[in-house]
């Protein structure tokens, strides 16, 4: 059994808790000069023959990828840029992140993609939630969830508080049947090769094959991409059960990835 956000699911071939393997591409070559920081390069970036798309708006990531070494487990007190950067560009993990540099992805239309110099088959990647997405799903906020003071996850003693996600329109604390799913779509040239789904959050009743599963991903997990076959491009999308009256997803459209492993 593995613990996920205080809940437990059985280990399986589909959900495996992992630390980067020695043969993984872990993006250590992408240097970040200071601790607890991130870099949003202009025009994207390349690592180990993988080109990641980056769309920038001012100093923020509007879509695609950046890289980070942040590891924050605390709510923020203010809706200012510095405060929000500490949770939107941070991986949520049950212990301080030990993978060094990793990637943060903001899904916006079709902007979240990478391309390969040489077409290859990808065995798996490691994925996890951002701190922002985790807090929004696990706690909700005063707009969409009953106001009940709770301890800050990183400061369990005090103060108790009613915390904000600072998502426009608010979010709802996840309950039975809720989900947050990342989808990877593969391409070879202009031909779609397949797609793979992975639940970054899965509340009881969502997974038809495993209806008792109830978890948030709170560490690096393996997302198997073998079903995509040989690809030269992969595009990511996100979907959540928490939507507003217009069908707009309210869960922050961000996730983290690391540990690329190509098939032999």
């Amino acid at each position: 059994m593995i613990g996920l956000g205080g809940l437990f699911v059985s280990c399986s071939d589909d959900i495996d808790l992992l630390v980067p393997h020695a043969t993984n591409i872990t993006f250590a070559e992408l240097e970040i000069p200071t601790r607890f920081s991130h870099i949003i390069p202009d025009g994207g970036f390349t690592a180990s023959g993988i080109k990641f798309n980056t769309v920038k708006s001012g100093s923020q990531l509007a879509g695609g990828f950046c890289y980070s070494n942040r590891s924050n487990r605390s709510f923020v007190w203010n809706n200012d840029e510095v405060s929000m950067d500490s949770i939107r560009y941070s991986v949520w993990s049950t212990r301080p992140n030990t993978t060094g540099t990793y990637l943060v992805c903001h899904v916006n239309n079709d902007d979240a993609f990478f391309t390969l110099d040489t077409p290859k088959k990808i065995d798996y990647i490691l994925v996890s939630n951002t701190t922002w997405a985790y807090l929004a799903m696990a706690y909700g906020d005063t707009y969409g969830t009953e106001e009940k003071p709770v301890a800050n996850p990183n400061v369990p003693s005090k103060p108790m508080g009613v915390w904000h996600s600072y998502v426009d329109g608010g979010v709802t604390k996840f309950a039975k049947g809720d989900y947050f799913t990342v989808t990877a779509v593969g391409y070879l040239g202009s031909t779609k090769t397949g797609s793979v789904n992975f639940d970054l959050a899965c509340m009881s009743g969502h997974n038809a094959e495993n209806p008792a599963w109830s978890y948030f991903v709170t560490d690096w997990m393996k997302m198997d991409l073998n079903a995509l076959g040989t690809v030269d491009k992969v595009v990511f999308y996100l979907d959540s059960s928490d939507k507003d009256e217009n069908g707009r997803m309210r869960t922050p459209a961000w996730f983290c990835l690391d540990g690329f492993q190509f098939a032999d």
Side-chain angles (χ1 to χ4, degrees), residues 129 133 137 174 179-181 199-201 238-240 249 251-252 254:
N129 279 302
M137 295 184 291
F174 271 25
Y179 62 87
F180 183 45
T181 302
D199 290 328
L200 292 164
L238 288 168
D239 187 29
S240 169
M249 187 175 79
T251 307
W254 300 69

Side-chain angles (χ1 to χ4, degrees), residues 53-261:
N53 186 52
T54 301
V55 179
K56 200 170 180 180
S57 177
S59 63
Q60 295 298 326
L61 180 65
F65 296 87
C66 69
Y67 46 99
S68 175
N69 61 16
R70 293 180 181 270
S71 186
N72 183 33
R73 292 173 43 80
S74 177
F75 284 97
V76 294
W77 284 259
N78 299 300
N79 188 23
D80 58 77
E81 191 170 278
V82 172
S83 297
M84 292 303 296
D85 281 358
S86 72
I87 59 173
R88 64 164 64 99
Y89 298 110
S90 173
V91 65
W92 178 277
S93 53
T94 56
R95 56 191 182 279
N97 180 53
T98 57
T99 65
T101 301
Y102 61 90
L103 306 188
V104 177
C105 179
H106 180 195
V107 172
N108 186 6
N109 297 318
D110 300 323
D111 289 335
F113 67 86
F114 65 80
T115 57
L116 304 176
D117 290 344
T118 302
K120 294 180 181 179
K121 186 174 184 179
I122 304 170
D123 187 1
Y124 64 83
I125 57 176
L126 304 184
V127 296
S128 190
N129 279 302
T130 62
T131 298
W132 193 20
Y134 172 81
L135 294 175
M137 295 184 291
Y139 293 90
D141 63 17
T142 55
Y143 297 101
T145 305
E146 180 182 357
E147 296 188 19
K148 181 179 179 181
V150 297
N152 193 314
N154 204 40
V155 191
S157 55
K158 60 180 182 180
M160 298 284 281
V162 178
W163 306 103
H164 297 270
S165 68
Y166 297 112
V167 174
D168 291 341
V171 292
T172 301
K173 181 179 178 178
F174 271 25
K176 184 176 181 179
D178 283 329
Y179 62 87
F180 183 45
T181 302
V182 57
T183 298
V185 180
Y187 291 89
L188 183 60
S190 59
T191 301
K192 180 178 176 180
T193 63
S195 64
V196 174
N197 296 326
F198 183 87
D199 290 328
L200 292 164
C202 171
M203 301 293 98
S204 59
H206 166 62
N207 187 307
E209 295 181 359
N210 301 280
W213 280 11
S214 188
Y215 66 85
F216 301 103
V217 168
T218 59
D219 271 302
W220 294 107
M221 298 286 176
K222 182 174 73 174
M223 182 177 181
D224 192 323
L225 297 186
N226 277 284
L228 300 184
T230 300
V231 297
D232 57 15
K233 180 179 180 179
V234 176
V235 187
F236 292 96
Y237 300 95
L238 288 168
D239 187 29
S240 169
S241 54
D242 187 11
K243 295 182 174 70
D244 65 18
E245 62 276 8
N246 297 314
R248 180 185 65 87
M249 187 175 79
R250 300 194 296 185
T251 307
W254 300 69
F255 74 101
C256 301
L257 71 159
D258 201 355
F260 275 59
Q261 180 65 51

Side-chain angles (χ1 to χ4, degrees), residues 21-57:
H21 188 271
T23 58
N24 284 177
I25 296 170
T26 59
F27 309 107
E29 65 193 85
L30 300 173
E31 296 183 1
I32 302 176
T34 56
R35 290 187 60 191
F36 203 70
S37 187
H38 68 280
I39 293 176
I40 307 172
D42 294 316
F45 57 96
T46 299
S48 301
I50 312 169
K51 176 65 183 293
F52 294 91
N53 186 52
T54 301
V55 179
K56 200 170 180 180
S57 177

